[in-house]
Amino acid sequence: MAKSYKVPMNKTVLTFFLLCVAAVAATVTWSFNSGLTWTAICLIAVAGPLSAFYWYMLYITPKRATITVADEGILLSAPPFASAVIPWASVTKTMPVNLVTDEDFHAVKTKKFMHFAGYRSGIIEIKNNQEAVIVANRADVICIQTEERFYLLGPSDMEGFSESVNAGMSQMA
């Protein structure tokens, strides 16, 4: 039976973002004494599109990120930065990793990657020029090693995810 795990952005970050948008809109409105027309033009032309873009990057994109653990393997979906199908037969090793303290897993080079306020998603190069796909909203992740790359996965429900991965690995043994 398949079980999905979400990897959303921290709600504090989203709340702070909305407060910043409100502050920018209030500042623009207050700073223009030349009339409501120029204020509206600036809000519509600048603040509106930028707010929509950042809202998409901070809310919509992380909200769509899911890690599904099934009998066949792991399905990783974190568009537009990372997606993969990891069959259990290709997994050589799993281990817990801390992205802050484990220097072997620090990003040396990034390819398609987003990192903002603890949320990480994309493809990176780690030490020894090895490729890693990362989707996490936390520093402690499960590293799933295959022949071709590492997968560093850290959903919100880490305990449940860890149990599901261990159950999937025990099926293959």
Side-chain angles (χ1 to χ4, degrees):
M1 183 169 164
K3 181 146 185 189
S4 292
Y5 299 92
K6 294 286 187 179
V7 191
M9 180 72 69
N10 188 332
K11 294 204 185 302
T12 306
V13 173
L14 296 172
T15 303
F16 182 71
F17 169 74
L18 289 175
L19 290 174
C20 286
V21 168
V24 166
T27 303
V28 169
T29 303
W30 173 80
S31 67
F32 282 101
N33 293 325
S34 60
L36 187 60
T37 304
W38 284 109
T39 302
I41 289 170
C42 287
L43 284 174
I44 291 169
V46 178
L50 283 176
S51 298
F53 173 72
Y54 282 114
W55 182 251
Y56 178 80
M57 291 306 293
L58 296 178
Y59 180 71
I60 302 299
T61 298
K63 187 176 181 181
R64 294 186 314 184
T66 57
I67 303 167
T68 303
V69 180
D71 294 336
E72 301 80 24
I74 298 173
L75 174 64
L76 174 63
S77 176
F81 304 108
S83 61
V85 176
I86 312 164
W88 291 120
S90 70
V91 176
T92 58
K93 182 177 169 183
T94 63
M95 61 188 151
V97 169
N98 189 310
L99 296 174
V100 176
T101 59
D102 292 338
E103 291 189 21
D104 290 339
F105 293 96
H106 286 177
V108 174
K109 183 179 175 186
T110 61
K111 295 183 181 178
K112 298 186 304 182
F113 187 65
M114 174 184 167
H115 180 204
F116 185 79
Y119 179 82
R120 298 170 181 92
S121 176
I123 301 170
I124 61 172
E125 257 184 43
I126 57 176
K127 285 191 174 182
N128 301 329
N129 294 329
Q130 295 175 313
E131 189 174 81
V133 175
I134 182 170
V135 178
N137 62 2
R138 54 192 312 135
D140 56 322
V141 298
I142 298 288
C143 175
I144 298 172
Q145 183 178 357
T146 64
E147 293 292 328
E148 29 323 301
R149 68 181 53 98
F150 291 95
Y151 295 91
L152 304 168
L153 308 176
S156 295
D157 180 14
M158 184 55 102
E159 294 78 25
F161 177 66
S162 181
E163 289 172 9
S164 295
V165 168
N166 290 338
M169 289 297 293
S170 65
Q171 276 183 345
M172 294 307 297

